[in-house]
Amino acid sequence: MDRSHNKSQEDVPANTQNHSSQHFFCASMILLSAYNQESIVNKEENLMDESPFLKLKRWQWWLLVAINIFFLIAGQAAAVLLGRFYYDKGGNSKWMATLVQTAGFPVLCIPWFLLHPSREASTSSTSPSIKTLALLYFVLGVLVAGDNMLYSVGLLYLSASTYSLICATQLAFNAVFSYFLNSQKFTALILNSVVILSLSAALIAVNDDSDGPSGVPKGKFLIGFLCTLGASALYSLLLSFMQLSFQKVLKKETFSVVLEMQIYTSVVASCLSTIGLFASGEWKSLQHEMEVFGTGRVSYVLTLVWTAISWQVCAVGVVGLIFVVSSLFSNVISTLSLAVTPLAALVVFHDKMNGVKVIAMLLALCGFASYIYQNYIDDKKARRLQTHVREIQHTA
């Protein structure tokens, strides 16, 4: 599909999971941290004119946007809640919890086959060698596997609401790493976002009532906090590396390339997680886990299967919003979904929401608003510049 020539060079994959979320919708989430975004209005026009979706009408376009928003928010919230449910009902394998975050990658083959690479135009006539691509995907896959493991340990010792609030710090880490690795602007609004999000995480850390699920001791809570915070930092660093790889190595910014990176990196991460599962000996306890699982053997299997599917549904939503709207809009929805999970955890697991947690959530929302407002300002600048260039071309 001939869409790539309408995209600016700055609109390359960058960050949000989110996530929450976070986990392995990373390859697509890298599209979410570039500040010079293509405007939503222009992206909508491009989709109407050159879309593989048969030149959708406006109401159809908005319906497609709504569906992708639902996929993103529902997928991320469901994946985190199911991960917490797995631990609550007797699951204890950290490697299994790590594996399911990427094992559902075959789901992404469906949109990839529907949008075959041969139908897309590339921004570059040259492609990296197979060795270069293999090395790139392997390194990224190793980082993803390590990041997912940290997230799994964090969710083991934290409640779902606390876990999601800490994950919001990925925006702050992303701003810092993007400044050093991707030459992104570090404005007053971004600095304000970093400070506020850091304060939000600090409140969770010092909150005496922030014990983990089922009376997890303070020492375990601290381990969970540090692992989740470290995972958010590693995730943001991974996003910056991915953005750099798109700019310097892949030199393409098409939908299928994003999906390819997500699929191949998931393959590597899944293989490493499987090796870890057997090397650690945790595989020996899986049969026992299934037998003593609180809601039965069938429920055990379905929990793992739907956790894997949920993460990939979230990934489809993230990539879909990037494709049909813009990376800025996808960033907004991805970060907004971080507020949904704590509220859902209150309903499903009856997590405690004391005053400190409420303040931490409000601070996280303020930091999020500051971050997004900076994106909005940069988007307006890019929009005006694009309009000015078009006027010059028209008068020439």
Side-chain angles (χ1 to χ4, degrees):
M1 84 192 59
D2 189 14
R3 298 183 67 259
S4 59
H5 66 278
N6 290 311
K7 298 166 72 81
S8 66
Q9 183 62 31
E10 290 296 322
D11 189 16
V12 293
N15 177 32
T16 141
Q17 242 253 140
N18 125 74
H19 294 350
S20 115
S21 172
Q22 282 141 10
H23 298 34
F24 190 72
F25 46 96
C26 318
S28 56
M29 285 289 289
I30 53 157
L31 285 163
L32 305 180
S33 66
Y35 296 131
N36 295 324
Q37 307 291 350
E38 184 177 14
S39 71
I40 293 177
V41 174
N42 289 331
K43 200 64 170 287
E44 177 181 348
E45 292 174 352
N46 290 343
L47 187 64
M48 299 298 183
D49 294 337
E50 304 179 24
S51 171
F53 302 103
L54 303 178
K55 297 185 177 180
L56 299 177
K57 296 179 180 179
R58 183 173 295 271
W59 71 268
Q60 293 173 321
W61 182 86
W62 279 109
L63 178 62
L64 185 62
V65 170
I67 291 173
N68 281 291
I69 290 175
F70 175 77
F71 281 171
L72 194 163
I73 295 179
Q76 179 168 311
V80 174
L81 293 178
L82 285 171
R84 183 64 259 161
F85 180 80
Y86 167 74
Y87 286 132
D88 282 351
K89 297 303 179 180
N92 196 43
S93 174
K94 295 183 287 292
W95 280 110
M96 177 58 73
T98 300
L99 176 61
V100 295
Q101 295 177 41
T102 53
F105 67 88
V107 173
L108 298 179
C109 294
I110 298 175
W112 187 83
F113 281 122
L114 291 176
L115 300 169
H116 196 271
S118 62
R119 296 171 56 190
E120 291 189 347
S122 170
T123 56
S124 175
S125 58
T126 60
S127 298
S129 65
I130 295 179
K131 289 183 178 180
T132 301
L133 286 177
L135 179 61
L136 174 64
Y137 292 149
F138 178 78
V139 172
L140 292 177
V142 171
L143 293 177
V144 168
D147 188 53
N148 289 345
M149 182 60 177
L150 289 175
Y151 274 125
S152 297
V153 175
L155 191 56
L156 174 63
Y157 298 130
L158 300 177
S159 64
S161 57
T162 301
Y163 168 85
S164 297
L165 288 173
I166 297 173
C167 285
T169 58
Q170 67 190 42
L171 282 178
F173 286 118
N174 180 78
V176 174
F177 289 131
S178 293
Y179 174 78
F180 289 105
L181 297 178
N182 308 120
S183 301
Q184 299 290 358
K185 295 183 296 182
F186 206 68
T187 64
L189 285 172
I190 297 299
L191 179 61
N192 180 62
S193 175
V194 171
V195 172
I196 292 178
L197 289 169
S198 299
L199 288 175
S200 175
L203 278 177
I204 296 295
V206 300
N207 182 17
D208 291 333
D209 294 327
S210 289
D211 290 335
S214 302
V216 171
K218 193 67 177 180
K220 296 291 187 180
F221 170 82
L222 182 60
I223 293 176
F225 174 84
L226 293 177
C227 285
T228 305
L229 190 66
S232 296
L234 180 57
Y235 175 71
S236 299
L237 179 62
L238 180 63
L239 301 182
S240 294
F241 279 147
M242 285 182 169
Q243 181 182 348
L244 198 63
S245 68
F246 269 80
Q247 293 172 332
K248 305 297 185 181
V249 180
L250 298 176
K251 299 180 180 179
K252 296 180 182 179
E253 37 187 306
T254 60
F255 186 61
S256 66
V257 172
V258 176
L259 282 177
E260 285 175 5
M261 171 176 278
Q262 199 166 8
I263 292 171
Y264 293 141
T265 312
S266 287
V267 171
V268 175
S270 298
C271 290
L272 291 175
S273 299
T274 302
I275 293 174
L277 179 64
F278 283 93
S280 65
E282 287 186 359
W283 66 275
K284 299 177 182 178
S285 64
L286 295 182
Q287 182 66 31
H288 177 69
E289 272 190 15
M290 185 182 300
E291 293 174 352
V292 301
F293 198 67
T295 52
R297 298 166 64 110
V298 175
S299 177
Y300 176 83
V301 175
L302 290 178
T303 298
L304 295 177
V305 170
W306 282 108
T307 301
I309 293 176
S310 295
W311 280 123
Q312 300 310 315
V313 167
C314 177
V316 170
V318 171
V319 179
L321 286 179
I322 293 166
F323 186 56
V324 302
V325 188
S326 72
S327 50
L328 170 59
F329 187 77
S330 191
N331 190 12
V332 172
I333 302 302
S334 296
T335 312
L336 180 62
S337 66
L338 290 173
V340 173
T341 304
L343 297 177
L346 288 177
V347 177
V348 178
F349 299 117
H350 306 291
D351 284 358
K352 292 186 297 182
M353 185 59 75
N354 54 34
V356 175
K357 272 191 179 181
V358 172
I359 294 175
M361 179 181 290
L362 293 176
L363 284 174
L365 290 175
C366 289
F368 155 73
S370 179
Y371 186 91
I372 294 305
Y373 185 64
Q374 181 63 61
N375 277 267
Y376 170 74
I377 293 175
D378 291 330
D379 181 61
K380 288 188 65 176
K381 290 180 180 179
R383 188 175 182 176
R384 286 197 300 266
L385 178 61
Q386 190 177 45
T387 301
H388 181 65
V389 170
R390 286 181 176 177
E391 288 177 351
I392 294 177
Q393 292 175 343
H394 182 71
T395 56

